[in-house]
């Protein structure tokens, strides 16, 4: 079966053609976290969907080049740094680290690149793109010194979100500065510096300021993947205005179609309600771990529902995830035991050899619920065959091979050892260097950062040892 995805742009299931005569990798861009607080499980639902998508493409023998940006400058990060009384970089750093640790806990495959918006290379590119838009009449500097995109000059504006511009007039969302703009829907490409920004500013042809959020993604995606991207993902709340703006900016500059397939993940609800701090139903990955669940269990709970269906997170659902994983674990143990105990010469009738149903379900717009349905049906059938001594070692090992293949997508096998997250290892290495230089203050700071990520570091004769949990003993 051909690969089929629902493209937000066409609002249709489309047959996806990603093979390229030059065999270049599939170019995938996924909007990453805004590092002003710890990402919540709703954010991670989208990242797990993207992980599933990448892994399935790889199962289907595509090479994937995935870029995920880190938004480390925009309104919320600036406000957060000001309130915490620390420089922006220091403020965002802790949430960047936490993001990588949580992603590791959830077994999300690392992207090939994680560009950060404050990297001067990308700031320069944003400025170049804004310049190009101004010279084409697609952008203008307003009286407030900020630069805006002129949406009336881009006829396709609104096509992704499927609404027309007149709707924008009726939203009634007028901010104090918006009468500087020609159209209420014109969005900021460059925000002029004001006092609230403190020392967060870059020089530009339009005066000091900082980029708008949307241009950050246009600049980083085209810088790393070129003018045209195969697959662009995000949560449904990114569709408008963020992705709509990305199209307008990127196509405005290059004149080429920016993205072939737009895929968006539906919301996560908690107990049937929108997650909100005020409702007390707002959870991060550590919140879930603190209740005694594992990252593997949370991965399963966030993975098992089709990405276009809202996922209702409940503690009951977490318990079901635990039970489902226990069934997989027992099944694998049984298969392995059978392979180890049965003599090769044994000939028993073979029942229900593995099929390609699992991956075909994923070909169909990543239908994970159907795919998992096939997995558990297979578990039931093979367990029955094993109960009745109707499975030989060869079929058991065929089933195990099958599991190993589909587990490259699921990544749900129990782990015997807790791997150390990359970010924690990096911080520990930095701390070692600080200790060698006898920079004890820096070393202590780094120990605190490691501990904030849920790890402890103990200095032994053989070097530093990292352990889960913050205890230093
Ligand atoms: Zn983005």
């Amino acid at each position: 079966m051909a690969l089929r995805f629902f493209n937000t742009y066409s609002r249709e299931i489309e047959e996806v053609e990603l093979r390229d005569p030059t065999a270049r990798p599939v170019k995938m861009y996924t909007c990453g976290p805004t590092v002003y607080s710890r990402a919540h499980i709703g954010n991670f639902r989208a990242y797990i969907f993207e992980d599933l998508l990448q892994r399935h493409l790889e199962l289907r023998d595509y090479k994937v080049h995935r870029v995920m940006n880190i938004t480390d400058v925009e309104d919320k990060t600036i406000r957060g740094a000001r309130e915490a009384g620390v420089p922006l970089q220091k403020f965002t750093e802790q949430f960047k680290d936490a993001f990588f640790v949580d992603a590791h806990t959830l077994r999300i495959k690392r992207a090939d690149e994680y560009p950060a918006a404050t990297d001067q290379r990308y700031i320069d590119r944003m400025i170049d793109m804004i310049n190009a838009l101004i010279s084409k009449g697609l952008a203008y500097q307003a009286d407030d010194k900020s630069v805006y995109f002129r949406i009336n000059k881009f006829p396709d504006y609104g096509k992704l979100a499927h609404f027309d511009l007149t709707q924008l007039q009726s939203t009634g969302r007028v901010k104090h500065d918006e009468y500087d703009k020609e159209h209420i829907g014109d969005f900021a490409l460059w925000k002029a510096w004001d006092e609230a920004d403190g020392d967060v500013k870059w020089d530009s042809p339009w005066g000091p300021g900082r980029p708008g959020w949307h241009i950050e993604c246009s600049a980083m995606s085209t810088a790393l993947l070129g003018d045209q991207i195969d697959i662009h993902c995000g949560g449904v709340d990114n569709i408008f205005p963020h992705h709509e703006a990305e199209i307008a900016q990127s196509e405005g500059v290059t004149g080429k179609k920016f993205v072939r397939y737009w895929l968006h993940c539906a919301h996560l609800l908690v107990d049937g309600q929108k997650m909100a701090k005020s409702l007390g139903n707002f959870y991060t990955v550590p919140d879930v771990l603190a209740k005694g669940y594992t990252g593997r269990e949370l991965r399963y709970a966030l993975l098992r529902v089709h990405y276009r269906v809202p996922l209702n997170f409940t503690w009951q659902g977490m318990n079901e995830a635990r039970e489902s994983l226990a069934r997989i674990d027992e099944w694998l143990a049984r298969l392995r035991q059978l392979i180890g105990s049965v003599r090769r010469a044994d000939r028993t009738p073979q029942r229900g050899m593995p099929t390609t149903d699992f991956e075909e379900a994923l070909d169909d717009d990543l239908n994970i619920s159907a795919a998992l349905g096939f997995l558990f049906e297979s578990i039931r059938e093979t367990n029955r065959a094993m109960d009745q001594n109707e499975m030989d070692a060869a079929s058991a090992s065929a089933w195990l091979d099958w599991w190993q293949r589909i587990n490259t997508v699921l990544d749900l096998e129990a782990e015997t050892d807790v791997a150390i997250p990359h970010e924690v290892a990096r911080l520990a290495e930095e701390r070692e260097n600080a200790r060698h230089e006898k920079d004890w203050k820096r070393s202590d700071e780094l120990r605190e950062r490691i501990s904030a990520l849920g790890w402890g570091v103990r200095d032994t004769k053989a070097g530093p040892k990292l352990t889960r949990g913050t205890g230093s003993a």
Side-chain angles (χ1 to χ4, degrees):
M1 190 162 87
L3 209 50
R4 291 144 37 101
F5 293 137
F6 181 86
N7 186 349
T8 308
Y9 200 87
S10 64
R11 294 235 165 142
E12 276 173 8
I13 300 264
E14 291 181 21
E15 266 198 22
V16 170
E17 194 36 78
L18 294 166
R19 302 274 173 217
D20 181 90
T22 62
R24 65 153 175 84
V26 172
K27 298 190 232 173
M28 183 170 167
Y29 187 83
T30 52
C31 288
T34 298
V35 282
Y36 73 103
S37 70
R38 195 142 191 163
H40 56 68
I41 54 173
N43 302 129
F44 279 103
R45 184 205 181 181
Y47 305 145
I48 282 185
F49 141 68
E50 291 153 359
D51 182 57
L52 179 69
L53 174 59
Q54 174 173 8
R55 286 166 180 267
H56 180 59
L57 291 170
E58 287 168 350
L59 182 80
R60 286 307 197 194
D61 295 325
Y62 291 100
K63 278 209 164 18
V64 177
H65 186 88
R66 182 160 69 90
V67 174
M68 177 181 260
N69 70 295
I70 305 284
T71 302
D72 57 358
V73 58
E74 50 70 79
D75 298 346
K76 292 193 286 283
T77 55
I78 292 174
R79 200 183 315 131
R82 201 183 54 220
E83 281 167 13
V86 292
L88 181 69
Q89 182 84 25
K90 195 171 167 58
F91 178 73
T92 56
E93 192 173 62
Q94 56 186 318
F95 300 117
K96 266 188 223 181
D97 291 343
F99 164 74
F100 286 113
V101 168
D102 292 346
H104 174 91
T105 301
L106 295 177
R107 306 180 178 192
I108 294 171
K109 211 172 159 168
R110 287 182 73 88
D112 297 279
E113 289 167 283
Y114 289 102
T118 54
D119 187 325
Q120 190 62 44
R121 270 179 300 173
Y122 303 124
I123 296 276
D124 291 345
R125 189 175 175 88
M126 294 169 210
I127 291 173
D128 288 347
M129 288 183 86
I130 297 169
N131 258 330
L133 291 170
I134 292 175
S135 68
K136 291 180 177 199
L138 285 164
Y140 60 94
Q141 185 169 27
D143 293 341
D144 66 355
K145 298 273 184 269
S146 292
V147 180
Y148 295 95
F149 190 93
R150 186 177 272 134
I151 59 170
N152 276 333
K153 282 280 161 86
F154 190 78
D156 282 350
Y157 195 78
K159 280 231 170 118
L160 178 71
H162 295 254
F163 67 66
D164 65 88
L165 296 183
T166 50
Q167 278 182 279
L168 273 180
Q169 253 112 2
S170 60
T171 59
R173 285 170 54 192
V174 181
K175 283 198 302 212
H176 67 96
D177 58 348
E178 300 214 333
Y179 44 80
D180 288 326
K181 303 193 294 190
E182 293 174 2
H183 186 291
I184 187 146
D186 289 355
F187 55 87
L189 297 164
W190 187 261
K191 296 190 176 186
W193 180 86
D194 70 31
E195 271 170 42
D197 293 339
D199 58 2
V200 179
K201 57 174 189 268
W202 287 267
D203 287 330
S204 83
W206 320 285
R210 60 189 166 96
W213 174 37
H214 314 314
I215 194 74
E216 295 178 9
C217 277
S218 279
M220 291 185 277
S221 60
T222 54
L224 293 166
L225 295 171
D227 293 345
Q228 296 183 287
I229 293 168
D230 297 308
I231 301 177
H232 194 315
C233 306
V236 282
D237 51 340
N238 289 147
I239 297 174
F240 192 87
H242 186 53
H243 289 164
E244 195 74 60
E246 276 189 47
I247 295 174
Q249 298 161 154
S250 304
E251 296 188 1
V253 171
T254 69
K256 294 180 204 155
K257 186 153 179 77
F258 176 44
V259 170
R260 294 169 72 193
Y261 305 104
W262 284 97
L263 272 64
H264 291 98
C265 180
H267 281 296
L268 176 129
L269 302 169
V270 174
D271 293 324
Q273 284 181 297
K274 214 176 157 193
M275 194 162 48
K277 279 188 174 141
S278 58
L279 292 174
N281 66 354
F282 186 96
Y283 300 118
T284 62
V285 173
D287 292 337
V288 176
L289 301 186
K291 297 236 180 198
Y293 295 99
T294 63
R296 178 171 79 123
E297 287 163 349
L298 182 54
R299 174 176 176 83
Y300 183 88
L302 296 179
L303 181 84
R304 66 178 181 157
V305 173
H306 188 264
Y307 76 95
R308 285 196 290 120
V309 176
L311 187 157
N312 189 23
F313 177 89
T314 61
W315 297 111
Q316 174 61 26
M318 283 303 298
N319 292 337
E320 285 163 16
R322 177 170 286 177
E323 284 162 24
S324 301
L325 291 169
R327 279 170 65 202
I328 295 174
D329 293 348
E330 283 161 25
W331 175 65
L332 292 173
R334 263 189 104 174
L335 288 175
R336 289 189 171 119
Q337 202 190 5
L338 181 67
I339 295 165
S341 68
V342 178
R343 280 176 291 122
R344 276 190 96 90
D346 279 1
R347 285 260 174 241
T348 38
Q350 296 188 7
R351 278 209 349 211
M353 287 301 280
T355 65
T356 52
D357 290 349
F358 181 93
E359 41 214 90
E360 278 168 14
L362 292 182
D363 285 346
D364 185 13
D365 196 28
L366 228 54
N367 192 343
I368 187 69
S369 354
L372 289 171
F374 289 123
L375 168 64
F376 285 104
E377 201 180 297
S378 303
I379 290 179
R380 242 185 333 270
E381 280 180 14
T382 46
N383 276 338
R384 201 179 304 135
M386 285 190 275
D387 290 341
Q388 296 167 358
N389 284 325
E390 284 180 0
M391 166 102 66
D392 63 9
S395 4
S397 99
W399 279 106
L400 202 56
D401 289 347
W402 177 72
W403 163 257
Q404 270 150 8
R405 178 171 165 82
I406 67 169
N407 193 46
T408 60
V409 176
L410 295 173
D411 203 348
L412 286 174
E413 197 154 334
E415 58 192 339
T416 40
D417 249 331
V418 182
I420 297 163
H422 176 83
E423 295 311 304
V424 172
R426 184 179 58 74
L427 291 173
E429 200 180 299
E430 254 184 67
R431 180 173 168 275
E432 243 339 71
N433 292 338
R435 282 166 55 82
H436 277 300
E437 286 159 20
K438 301 206 181 325
D439 185 348
W440 308 118
K441 186 167 167 280
R442 176 89 184 128
S443 156
D444 284 347
E445 267 173 26
L446 287 160
R447 178 197 285 279
E448 269 171 42
R449 278 176 64 190
I450 293 169
S451 142
L453 297 171
W455 287 76
V457 58
R458 189 158 50 95
D459 298 304
T460 70
K461 283 205 183 91
K465 272 218 166 326
L466 287 161
T467 45
R468 209 157 208 181
T470 50
S472 55

